[in-house]
Amino acid sequence: MLSIGTLAKRTGTKVQTIRYYEQIGIMPEPGRSEGGQRRYGDEELDRLAFIRHSRQLGFSLEAIRELLDLSDSPERSCAEVDAIAQRQLREVEARIGRLEALRVELRRMIGECDQGQMADCRILQVLRDHEECLTDHDRGGA
Amino acid sequence: MLSIGTLAKRTGTKVQTIRYYEQIGIMPEPGRSEGGQRRYGDEELDRLAFIRHSRQLGFSLEAIRELLDLSDSPERSCAEVDAIAQRQLREVEARIGRLEALRVELRRMIGECDQGQMADCRILQVLRDHEECLTDHDRGGA
DNA sequence: CTTTTTTCTACAGCTACTGTAGGAAACGAA
DNA sequence: TTCGTTTCCTACAGTAGCTGTAGAAAAAAG
C-alpha cells in the first residue's frame, strides 16, 4: 500500500495535484489508513501514470476523462480513441503553426533593433505600429 | 471621444477585457460621460492597440507592463526592450520544440492504430505504457 | 518519548480573460 | 417626446490546471 507522497514521487506528480484529480473525479477515492490517510494500490498507480503521460502529450483533462471512459468499455471500437488522438494532433499542429508565425515576427523585430536610444527603438515602434491590426478590425467589424 | 464599445471594436478586444485591463492597471482610468460611461481618446486607443498587438505576439501582461514602463522613460536604453523581446523569442522557440516532440509521438501513436478492438488499441497501450516515465521519476526522485 | 516529516482539510491564488445578473444610459425612429 | 433597442454600468462567479497556505493530526525516525 502506497501513501500519497510515494505515489506522487513515483509518477512525478505533486501531492496536491493527486488530491485535485480525486476532487474532479478522474482519480477514484482511495481507501484510508486507520488514521485517515489515503492508501493506494497498483491500479491507482497505473491510472495516475496514464493521466500524467497523457498530460505530457498535451491532452486536456476532459480528453483524458474520455480516454479513460473508453478504455473501461472494451466493446467499443478503437476508432473513437483514434479520433481523440487525431484531434489532439491537429491541435498541436495548429499551435505549432501559430508559434512559428510569431517566431518570424519576433526575429524580424529583434533584427531591426540596433541598440540605440529608446526614442527610436524599432521594437517598440513595431509593437506600436498597429495600422494593419486596426484596419483589420475596422474593415472586419464595420 | 470613443465609447468603450467603439474602442473594443477598433482593437478587436472585448469590452470586459478593457475593463479588466483598467482593473489591473495596464490601462488608465479614463474620463467619464455625464451619465458615468467611460470615454476614450486616441492615446488610449494607441495604448490598447500596443497591448493587443503584444499579446498576439505572445507577450505576457507582465512583460507588456515592463515594455510600457520602458517606453514611458525615454532615457533608458533600447537594450532593455531588446532583452524582453529576446526572452520572448526564446520562450516561443522552447514551446515550438516541445510541441514538435509531441507531434512526433502523437503521429507514431496514431500510425500504429489499426482500428481494431479496444483490447489491443495501440494508442491506449502507448499512453498506459509508462515504463520510461516511471523509471525516470524513480531514478530521479530516489 | 521527542522530533521531524508527512498528511489531512479547506480555502485562496495564479493567468488572462469570459460570462452573468440586474439595472441605467444613450441612441435612432416614429 | 416617447418607445424600443442597444450599449453601458458594477459586482461577482467561472474557466483550466494546477499550486500554495494555514493549522492541526498522524506517521516515521532517532
Side-chain angles (χ1 to χ4, degrees):
Chain A
M1 284 302 190
L2 308 167
S3 71
I4 196 170
T6 310
L7 191 67
K9 243 177 227 157
R10 292 263 203 110
T11 57
T13 314
K14 299 225 167 181
V15 166
Q16 297 104 303
T17 304
I18 298 174
R19 288 198 282 250
Y20 169 71
Y21 286 163
E22 179 183 328
Q23 193 187 309
I24 64 168
I26 67 170
M27 281 295 286
E29 290 185 25
R32 299 277 179 150
S33 73
E34 281 202 11
Q37 302 193 350
R38 291 171 179 80
R39 291 293 175 253
Y40 297 93
D42 283 347
E43 203 172 320
E44 284 102 328
L45 177 66
D46 284 354
R47 191 182 177 94
L48 182 55
F50 178 97
I51 293 170
R52 294 308 290 178
H53 194 183
S54 303
R55 286 292 298 140
Q56 280 167 28
L57 285 172
F59 288 91
S60 70
L61 288 175
E62 260 334 284
I64 293 168
R65 208 191 288 271
E66 278 185 81
L67 289 170
L68 286 166
D69 284 355
L70 285 173
S71 77
D72 285 345
S73 49
E75 76 283 3
R76 291 161 76 179
S77 142
C78 175
E80 294 178 65
V81 173
D82 190 64
I84 295 174
Q86 296 269 10
R87 200 173 64 207
Q88 183 58 23
L89 177 60
R90 276 198 303 279
E91 269 170 40
V92 166
E93 285 178 335
R95 260 186 278 167
I96 289 174
R98 262 178 282 134
L99 286 172
E100 279 173 345
L102 288 193
R103 179 167 59 181
V104 167
E105 207 174 336
L106 282 169
R107 278 187 180 152
R108 192 160 43 76
M109 222 167 75
I110 292 170
E112 285 179 7
C113 175
D114 56 357
Q115 310 286 340
Q117 280 305 108
M118 285 305 289
D120 41 47
C121 176
R122 282 297 304 159
I123 292 176
L124 289 179
Q125 278 174 46
V126 170
L127 287 174
R128 222 186 310 268
D129 214 359
H130 45 266
E131 298 296 319
E132 298 150 47
C133 300
L134 276 186
T135 49
D136 243 18
H137 300 301
D138 263 358
R139 309 264 178 272
Chain B
M1 284 303 191
L2 308 168
S3 71
I4 194 169
T6 309
L7 191 66
K9 241 177 228 157
R10 293 264 202 107
T11 56
T13 314
K14 301 225 165 181
V15 166
Q16 297 104 302
T17 304
I18 298 174
R19 289 198 281 250
Y20 168 71
Y21 286 163
E22 179 183 328
Q23 192 186 309
I24 63 168
I26 68 171
M27 282 294 287
E29 290 185 25
R32 301 275 180 151
S33 73
E34 282 203 10
Q37 302 194 351
R38 290 171 179 79
R39 291 294 175 253
Y40 297 93
D42 284 346
E43 202 174 322
E44 284 101 328
L45 177 66
D46 284 354
R47 191 182 177 93
L48 182 55
F50 179 96
I51 294 169
R52 295 309 290 177
H53 195 183
S54 303
R55 285 292 299 139
Q56 279 167 29
L57 286 172
F59 289 92
S60 69
L61 288 176
E62 260 333 285
I64 293 168
R65 207 192 288 271
E66 278 185 80
L67 289 170
L68 286 166
D69 284 356
L70 284 173
S71 79
D72 284 345
S73 48
E75 76 283 3
R76 289 160 77 179
S77 144
C78 175
E80 294 179 66
V81 172
D82 189 64
I84 295 174
Q86 296 269 9
R87 200 172 64 207
Q88 182 58 23
L89 176 59
R90 276 197 304 277
E91 268 170 39
V92 166
E93 286 178 335
R95 260 187 278 167
I96 290 174
R98 263 177 280 136
L99 286 171
E100 279 173 346
L102 288 192
R103 178 167 60 181
V104 167
E105 206 176 339
L106 282 169
R107 278 187 181 152
R108 192 160 45 77
M109 223 167 73
I110 292 168
E112 286 179 6
C113 176
D114 56 358
Q115 310 286 339
Q117 280 307 107
M118 286 305 290
D120 41 48
C121 175
R122 281 298 301 157
I123 293 175
L124 289 179
Q125 278 174 46
V126 170
L127 287 175
R128 222 188 309 270
D129 214 359
H130 44 268
E131 297 296 319
E132 298 150 48
C133 300
L134 277 187
T135 49
D136 243 18
H137 299 303
D138 264 357
R139 310 262 180 273

